[in-house]
């Protein structure tokens, strides 16, 4: 770069004719690929974005079945908002709160909101456990909540054990900025992908053999992508293992209110209460993104039994705050116990009905699936349709489903599944009529695959 004198105003100016951009470097974080966006999981979203299905405007477009989003009960919240205008500062009834909410607030969160969230988390668990509002830490969604916990519990290079198949974006949430590493706890279809003590021990040993420090176990319960829950016995086994190894146990319970069929959901908070002690190594993550279908609100929660973690996470939450306007609206809504109890029951009923419709469609198409009772998705076995029994065959089948059948579903390899041919299919983000179109397409595609086998 050359600096020259500008005669007109007698000032120095820079000439950029010879600028060489190779001189400019970026951070390792900016240039690394640990975010995971090169996964088929995200590629399917991009295909949908470019060619979205619309019943009238684009009937041959891609139908989104790769997004775990719940729109089945929006009408319940919309009806509530119409009769509670005081919940929003944009209404005449809520305008009195505008000035207070517009100014700086304690990053611990509004006290009324933390109380309401604690009560809501109790309601989701059938009031079998109590949550202390003073242990509630706010975060901008479960993405931020999980990352904040990783920053609190581990250092770069440390390892968390995570049962696989697991949520693809954990590569981003747990690893990208923290430097924490994931060691899978392998689960298999032979026992319906249940977590076993032997596989937990194997994962721990693999990490140790690599000279890595294991700092904890993280599970999703109910499980994404399986749509199943962890039994009380499994939770007790994991807690005992964590205690024995002096490591942490993080339970992401983001689907706690989306269990629509037996067996009964057990929160790690119940197990802690039964043991009648307060463990410093147990932490819960929650969000309103799934049970209430509010991912755009960016509402996440950390609940930790560790005082130091609560303090540190609150300090970090200043980087991931929930807007006070959102907290105000939700504290009003979640404090309405009559509405909350009605919403939880009705939402579960709608999820159960929708789940029944989609598995009936799988059966018509001759497609096997894991029997699930929770979440917004099904774990589907399409191994019979694979052109080859390996990941290459799975990805080839996935491309056919995406670009020929025009259905965005997510391949099991994106979830670190060890067995080729499993796919996650979401069912709560679309209308019933759209789901019927999707199931018809899937049935036709499956028949074509079988005919060409």
């Amino acid at each position: 770069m050359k600096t020259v004198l500008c005669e007109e105003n007698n000032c120095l100016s820079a000439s950029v004719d010879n600028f060489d951009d190779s001189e400019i470097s970026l951070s390792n974080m900016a240039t690394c690929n640990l975010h995971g966006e090169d996964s088929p999981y995200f590629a399917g979203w991009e295909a949908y974005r470019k060619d979205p299905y619309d019943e009238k405007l684009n009937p041959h477009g891609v139908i989104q079945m790769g997004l775990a989003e719940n729109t089945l009960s929006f009408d319940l919240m919309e009806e509530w908002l119409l009769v509670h205008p005081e919940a929003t500062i944009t209404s005449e009834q809520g305008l009195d709160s505008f000035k207070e909410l517009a100014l700086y607030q304690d990053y611990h969160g509004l006290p009324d909101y933390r109380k309401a969230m604690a009560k809501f988390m109790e309601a989701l668990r059938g009031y079998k456990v109590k949550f202390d509002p003073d242990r509630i830490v706010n975060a901008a969604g479960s993405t931020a909540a999980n990352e904040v916990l990783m920053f609190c519990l581990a250092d770069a290079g440390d390892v968390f054990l995570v049962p696989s198949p697991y949520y693809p974006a954990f590569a981003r949430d747990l690893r990208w900025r923290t430097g924490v590493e994931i060691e899978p706890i392998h689960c298999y279809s032979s026992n319906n992908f249940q977590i076993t003590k032997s596989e937990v021990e194997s994962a721990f040993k693999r990490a140790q053999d690599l000279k890595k420090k294991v700092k904890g176990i993280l599970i999703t319960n109910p499980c994404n992508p399986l749509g199943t829950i962890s039994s009380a016995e499994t939770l007790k086994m994991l807690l005992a293992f964590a205690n024995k190894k002096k490591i942490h146990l993080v339970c992401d319970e983001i689907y706690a209110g989306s269990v629509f069929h037996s067996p009964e959901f057990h929160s790690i908070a119940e197990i802690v209460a039964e043991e009648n002690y307060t463990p410093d190594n147990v932490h819960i993550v929650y969000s309103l993104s799934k049970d209430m279908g509010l991912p755009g609100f960016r509402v996440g929660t950390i609940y930790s039994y560790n005082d130091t973690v609560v303090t540190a996470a609150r300090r970090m939450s200043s980087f991931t705050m929930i807007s006070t306007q959102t907290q105000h609206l939700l504290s009003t809504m979640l404090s309405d116990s009559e509405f909350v109890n009605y919403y939880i029951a009705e939402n579960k009923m709608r999820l159960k009905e929708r789940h029944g419709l989609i598995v009936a469609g799988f059966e018509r198409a001759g497609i096997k699936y894991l029997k699930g009772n929770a979440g917004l998705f099904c774990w589907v076995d399409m191994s019979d349709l694979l052109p080859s029994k390996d990941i290459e065959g799975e990805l080839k089948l996935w491309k056919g489903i995406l670009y020929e059948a025009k259905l965005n579903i997510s391949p099991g390899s994106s979830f670190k599944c060890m067995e080729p041919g499993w796919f996650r299919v979401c069912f709560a983000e679309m209308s019933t009529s759209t789901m019927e179109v999707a199931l018809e397409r899937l049935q036709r595609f499956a028949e074509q695959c079988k005919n060409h086998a």
Side-chain angles (χ1 to χ4, degrees):
M1 180 181 294
K2 296 183 294 185
T3 302
V4 298
L5 182 66
C6 175
E7 296 182 359
E8 183 175 346
N9 54 12
N10 200 32
C11 69
L12 292 176
S13 66
S15 167
V16 294
D17 345 333
N18 299 323
F19 177 73
D20 181 1
D21 61 5
S22 65
E23 298 173 1
I24 302 299
S25 64
L26 300 175
S27 71
N28 290 334
M29 185 177 296
T31 55
C32 80
N33 62 357
L34 288 181
H35 187 279
E37 279 191 343
D38 56 351
S39 159
Y41 174 72
F42 290 104
W45 290 10
E46 183 66 12
Y48 168 76
R49 186 188 66 80
K50 291 179 178 178
D51 184 25
Y53 170 83
D54 184 276
E55 185 176 358
K56 295 180 180 178
L57 300 177
N58 191 22
H60 302 294
V62 175
I63 295 178
Q64 175 66 288
M65 305 184 84
L67 183 60
E69 199 166 60
N70 180 9
T71 62
L72 300 181
S73 300
F74 264 11
D75 60 303
L76 303 181
M77 288 182 285
E78 290 168 345
E79 291 169 4
W80 185 91
L81 287 169
L82 286 175
V83 296
H84 292 87
E86 73 280 3
T88 171
I89 60 174
T90 59
S91 70
E92 181 179 352
Q93 293 85 344
L95 194 58
D96 288 345
S97 303
F98 171 77
K99 183 176 180 180
E100 178 185 1
L101 296 176
L103 299 176
Y104 279 117
Q105 298 289 335
D106 190 331
Y107 53 66
H108 289 190
L110 300 177
D112 287 347
Y113 169 76
R114 287 188 287 111
K115 290 176 184 176
M117 177 57 77
K119 287 295 182 185
F120 183 66
M121 290 173 65
E122 292 172 5
L124 292 175
R125 292 154 181 81
Y127 299 101
K128 290 179 289 187
V129 292
K130 293 286 186 181
F131 290 101
D132 181 355
D134 289 336
R135 292 193 175 277
I136 294 283
V137 180
N138 294 341
S142 62
T143 293
N146 276 312
E147 185 186 61
V148 166
L149 267 181
M150 291 301 105
F151 274 123
C152 289
L153 305 181
D155 294 311
D158 290 344
V159 170
F160 258 77
L161 311 180
V162 182
S164 69
Y166 59 75
Y167 174 48
F170 276 158
R172 171 198 66 198
D173 301 1
L174 308 183
R175 299 173 57 208
W176 184 36
R177 300 198 298 183
T178 66
V180 171
E181 298 179 18
I182 295 174
E183 180 63 43
I185 300 170
H186 297 307
C187 302
Y188 301 94
S189 61
S190 56
N191 71 339
N192 294 325
F193 296 96
Q194 295 177 46
I195 304 168
T196 64
K197 184 178 180 181
S198 62
E199 288 297 335
V200 176
E201 291 172 339
S202 294
F204 189 90
K205 185 177 185 303
R206 284 195 304 272
Q208 284 195 319
D209 289 346
L210 293 171
K211 308 301 181 185
K212 298 291 185 179
K213 187 175 184 179
V214 178
K215 294 302 293 287
I217 301 170
L218 184 146
I219 68 167
T220 55
N221 180 35
C223 178
N224 175 11
L226 302 180
T228 58
I229 61 170
S230 295
S231 67
E233 291 71 26
T234 297
L235 294 176
K236 290 176 182 178
M237 178 271 291
L238 291 171
L239 182 57
F241 184 89
N243 289 343
K244 179 181 178 181
K245 299 296 185 180
K246 299 188 184 304
I247 61 177
H248 295 277
L249 177 59
V250 178
C251 293
D252 186 334
E253 298 184 349
I254 192 173
Y255 294 98
S258 299
V259 181
F260 49 80
H261 201 281
S262 60
E264 183 182 9
F265 168 70
H266 295 281
S267 168
I268 192 63
E270 295 177 47
I271 309 304
V272 168
E274 287 177 11
E275 299 297 329
N276 197 30
Y277 75 108
T278 302
D280 282 346
N281 64 333
V282 175
H283 322 275
I284 298 171
V285 170
Y286 184 64
S287 166
L288 296 184
S289 296
K290 309 303 181 180
D291 294 336
M292 297 197 75
L294 297 173
F297 275 37
R298 309 312 302 148
V299 175
T301 297
I302 297 168
Y303 189 89
S304 177
Y305 293 90
N306 187 302
D307 293 339
T308 303
V309 170
V310 171
T311 300
R314 280 203 172 136
R315 290 168 179 165
M316 292 184 189
S317 70
S318 61
F319 297 99
T320 65
M321 292 180 69
I322 307 168
S323 77
T324 51
Q325 180 178 346
T326 300
Q327 291 183 58
H328 173 69
L329 187 155
L330 291 172
S331 65
T332 308
M333 178 182 288
L334 300 182
S335 296
D336 186 341
S337 57
E338 182 178 353
F339 169 76
V340 164
N341 292 331
Y342 170 68
Y343 177 90
I344 292 172
E346 180 68 17
N347 185 57
K348 287 183 177 184
M349 185 189 73
R350 295 181 185 190
L351 286 171
K352 182 178 179 179
E353 290 177 352
R354 177 59 64 86
H355 180 266
L357 288 174
I358 198 167
V359 298
F362 295 150
E363 290 168 359
R364 289 195 300 271
I367 293 174
K368 295 174 287 187
Y369 57 91
L370 182 69
K371 186 177 180 180
N373 68 324
L376 315 176
F377 31 72
C378 295
W379 191 234
V380 176
D381 180 6
M382 297 190 189
S383 57
D384 291 345
L385 306 181
L386 292 177
S388 60
K389 303 295 184 178
D390 51 25
I391 290 181
E392 288 73 20
E394 178 181 279
L395 294 179
K396 186 175 181 180
L397 179 62
W398 166 71
K399 288 178 181 177
I401 296 170
L402 180 60
Y403 296 110
E404 295 174 31
K406 295 291 191 77
L407 300 172
N408 176 33
I409 67 175
S410 305
S413 53
S414 295
F415 299 83
K416 304 300 181 184
C417 182
M418 294 290 287
E419 303 174 31
W422 288 87
F423 291 78
R424 190 190 73 170
V425 183
C426 299
F427 59 77
E429 190 263 347
M430 68 195 79
S431 67
T432 302
S433 60
T434 299
M435 190 182 72
E436 290 171 351
V437 173
L439 289 171
E440 289 172 3
R441 290 185 186 182
L442 186 60
Q443 183 172 352
R444 286 197 303 269
F445 182 82
E447 289 171 354
Q448 291 170 4
C449 288
K450 292 172 183 176
N451 291 336
H452 290 104

